[in-house]
Amino acid sequence: MMTNLSGANLNNGSAVGSQSEGRDSPSNALAAIPKYQAYKDSGVAWLGELPRQWDAIKMKYLYRDTSVKNKASETLLSVTQTQGVVPREWVENRMVMPSGNLASFKFIKKGDFAISLRSFEGGLEYCHHDGIISPAYTVLKAKHSLLCSGYYKYLFKSQAFISELQTSVVGIREGKNISYEELRYSLLPIPKPQEQFSIANFLDQKTAQIDEAIAIKEKQIALLKERKQIIIQKAVTQGLNPNVPMKGSGVDWMGKVPKHWKVKKLRYLGNTQNGISAGAEYFGEGFPFVSYGDVYKNRVLPSYVKGLAKSSSGDQKLYSVLSGDVFFTRTSETVDEIGFASICFEAIDRATFAGFLIRFRTLSTELTKEFSKYYFNAPMMREYFVTEMNLVIRASLSQELLKNLLVALPPVKEQMKIFEYLEDISEKIDASISLQIEQIGKLKEYKSSLINSAVTGKIKVA
């Protein structure tokens, strides 16, 4: 499943280098790229030294705040941090369609920039398409044809420029925003026009290569996760012996199971209990409290939880958290978040758990906590819960539905062998995933450093 993404050394004329193998740090890779012969002090910290032939000019002399309205028939655009300013249909998770008078919306042309509500985090957004945007945004238009929008597209999204944006943040209490009245006094670097184009073209090529490398690694992560789930499901429903005689389980979503295994409903293996529900004053201090997030985010319940509740001794007895307990997410806005299981391997003294959870406590010696860890998190669980659950306003898992869940039961010794096998496989796959994530981080760090260095003249690409 694992493939190493290797390439040429990172230099001015190469493809994305061997960042994925961890041999080169961003600083080492950038050191191989030539620099300008002479530099001068820009006068501002965020720019540092600039190439001697570059100028630095206040933003107000380069860009103006425009507000052209009464263009209601123009394409409705969305201002995004990841895609820039694009038509709404280009955005996968669109906001609710705006209502009211679109004549008040501002017209923005391709090549202009928008100051968004989150610009203090992600920089200014480049416009890829003529259209209209909410009047809440500021539209910036270049004052001179000698400005290359491609170069400033990278400058305005660079970490160096984002740090400068922090000096123009207003409205800390009501919600942060960028004031162009403040920002327009910021100094911007001005390379020669041809050099702006060269830098933009260089970054277009290099960032595309880096993004492709990241996409490959993200696909590898998805394949590894998929492979892990396939292995888990096969092990907990078919065992480890491929030649064992099989029998029907009685349900399509489980398929066949080994002939010597038992299949029982959960109701015959233990009992269920919804968590505690109380007002806000009940929480924040007191004794350990297992939250929805503790279960949703962890397949093994943490031995230490951050939540606290003013639980009584009676609460602690009824809603206790003991070794072997399995907690299921019970209610959410969507069915996709229902039925996730977290197994308690170590009892939490005097703890209680949230009302958004169901606790299953085994009363049988036929089911081990080790086997439960993988069985209740196999992909087939999603199929069962999604198929059987009724959606009203919120998705909700009932105790009755959970009790009807069929459980495949190998002999206890076999459960432990399956657990040990899956622990080993999971550790190896998780290590591979962690390596891919680490390499993606290095690629993103290199991309950020490359953009910063190119737009501020710390490297020479033309």
Side-chain angles (χ1 to χ4, degrees):
M1 295 300 298
M2 287 288 295
T3 57
N4 287 326
L5 182 67
S6 299
N9 290 329
L10 285 164
N11 54 49
N12 195 21
S14 72
V16 175
S18 55
Q19 283 284 327
S20 61
E21 296 177 0
R23 294 194 295 266
D24 296 320
S25 68
S27 58
N28 290 340
L30 291 172
I33 303 178
K35 303 187 185 309
Y36 289 85
Q37 289 185 345
Y39 288 84
K40 63 184 179 183
D41 185 5
S42 68
V44 289
W46 78 272
L47 283 176
E49 290 190 332
L50 290 175
R52 181 177 292 174
Q53 64 269 38
W54 288 23
D55 292 321
I57 301 175
K58 287 181 180 179
M59 194 172 182
K60 67 178 182 177
Y61 298 120
L62 302 178
Y63 287 90
R64 67 176 184 272
D65 177 359
T66 64
S67 184
V68 177
K69 299 182 179 181
N70 296 311
K71 299 271 189 178
S73 62
E74 294 286 343
T75 302
L76 187 60
L77 308 178
S78 292
V79 180
T80 73
Q81 283 188 289
T82 56
Q83 295 173 262
V85 185
V86 296
R88 285 187 83 253
E89 57 266 26
W90 293 11
V91 181
E92 185 173 342
N93 297 314
R94 296 191 289 270
M95 300 293 287
V96 177
M97 188 74 175
S99 59
N101 185 11
L102 294 181
S104 66
F105 277 43
K106 295 180 179 180
F107 181 67
I108 184 170
K109 287 186 66 66
K110 180 179 179 180
D112 292 346
F113 292 90
I115 299 179
S116 76
L117 302 179
R118 309 297 297 181
S119 282
F120 67 93
E121 291 180 342
L124 309 189
E125 308 304 341
Y126 175 80
C127 182
H128 294 271
H129 194 287
D130 292 2
I132 54 174
I133 59 175
S134 166
Y137 299 117
T138 300
V139 176
L140 301 181
K141 184 178 292 291
K143 288 187 173 183
H144 305 284
S145 60
L146 296 178
L147 298 180
C148 169
S149 60
Y151 166 77
Y152 287 96
K153 175 182 70 174
Y154 286 107
L155 177 72
F156 291 153
K157 295 292 285 185
S158 68
Q159 290 301 314
F161 182 75
I162 291 171
S163 69
E164 170 65 6
L165 286 177
Q166 305 310 307
T167 65
S168 303
V169 170
V170 296
I172 301 299
R173 291 185 179 179
E174 295 77 17
K176 292 182 179 180
N177 202 354
I178 300 297
S179 166
Y180 187 62
E181 286 300 307
E182 297 289 335
L183 182 61
R184 66 196 186 108
Y185 293 103
S186 295
L187 289 176
L188 297 184
I190 312 291
K192 301 299 180 184
Q194 186 54 49
E195 203 167 1
Q196 294 178 39
F197 282 102
S198 297
I199 293 171
N201 290 336
F202 170 84
L203 290 176
D204 283 344
Q205 177 189 4
K206 298 304 177 187
T207 56
Q209 291 170 348
I210 295 171
D211 290 342
E212 182 181 1
I214 290 172
I216 290 172
K217 293 193 171 296
E218 289 174 338
K219 184 176 181 180
Q220 290 172 342
I221 290 172
L223 290 172
L224 286 166
K225 288 181 177 179
E226 181 182 0
R227 178 62 178 161
K228 179 180 175 181
Q229 290 299 301
I230 290 171
I231 291 172
I232 290 173
Q233 178 142 319
K234 185 175 181 181
V236 299
T237 57
Q238 299 177 29
L240 304 180
N241 181 2
N243 300 315
V244 68
M246 305 293 284
K247 66 180 179 181
S249 65
V251 289
D252 292 338
W253 55 264
M254 186 184 296
K256 291 184 176 181
V257 299
K259 197 171 183 179
H260 66 285
W261 288 18
K262 297 178 181 179
V263 178
K264 291 186 177 182
K265 288 185 177 181
L266 199 67
R267 66 171 68 250
Y268 300 120
L269 297 173
N271 57 40
T272 56
Q273 172 68 53
N274 285 358
I276 194 166
S277 296
E281 68 281 356
Y282 184 84
F283 305 101
E285 58 182 275
F287 301 98
F289 181 76
V290 176
S291 70
Y292 182 97
D294 291 326
V295 171
Y296 181 71
K297 296 176 183 178
N298 301 285
R299 303 291 60 85
V300 173
L301 195 68
S303 56
Y304 170 78
V305 292
K306 295 181 179 179
L308 296 173
K310 300 172 186 176
S311 55
S312 65
S313 59
D315 293 337
Q316 294 165 17
K317 182 177 180 180
L318 180 60
Y319 305 104
S320 57
V321 180
L322 303 181
S323 177
D325 288 349
V326 184
F327 293 89
F328 294 87
T329 53
R330 185 178 71 84
T331 181
S332 183
E333 296 293 340
T334 68
V335 71
D336 294 333
E337 297 178 354
I338 296 300
F340 280 87
S342 184
I343 286 70
C344 179
F345 269 62
E346 184 179 341
I348 304 177
D349 187 43
R350 305 187 75 176
T352 54
F353 61 97
F356 293 128
L357 303 172
I358 297 179
R359 182 194 66 203
F360 165 72
R361 175 167 291 166
T362 181
L363 301 178
S364 169
T365 58
E366 295 179 289
L367 178 63
T368 66
K369 61 186 177 184
E370 290 82 4
F371 186 72
S372 295
K373 173 184 176 180
Y374 289 102
Y375 184 84
F376 292 118
N377 285 297
M380 61 187 178
M381 294 295 109
R382 310 304 320 140
E383 183 175 347
Y384 172 75
F385 291 128
V386 170
T387 303
E388 299 296 330
M389 196 173 302
N390 292 320
L391 291 176
V392 187
I393 299 175
R394 288 174 62 89
S396 184
L397 171 62
S398 69
Q399 290 191 43
E400 190 63 24
L401 179 59
L402 187 59
K403 289 176 181 178
N404 285 330
L405 175 66
L406 288 178
V407 182
L409 293 167
V412 169
K413 287 184 178 180
E414 192 172 350
Q415 290 185 34
M416 296 306 296
K417 287 182 180 179
I418 292 171
F419 168 74
E420 290 167 2
Y421 167 77
L422 291 177
E423 285 284 278
D424 181 58
I425 290 291
S426 296
E427 182 179 352
K428 291 175 180 176
I429 294 178
D430 290 346
S432 296
I433 291 172
S434 295
L435 179 60
Q436 297 294 323
I437 292 172
E438 179 184 351
Q439 292 169 355
I440 287 173
K442 289 181 178 179
L443 285 165
K444 289 181 176 180
E445 182 184 356
Y446 175 67
K447 178 181 176 180
S448 177
S449 298
L450 185 68
I451 292 171
N452 272 347
S453 298
V455 298
T456 61
K458 304 304 182 290
I459 56 176
K460 184 179 181 181
V461 303

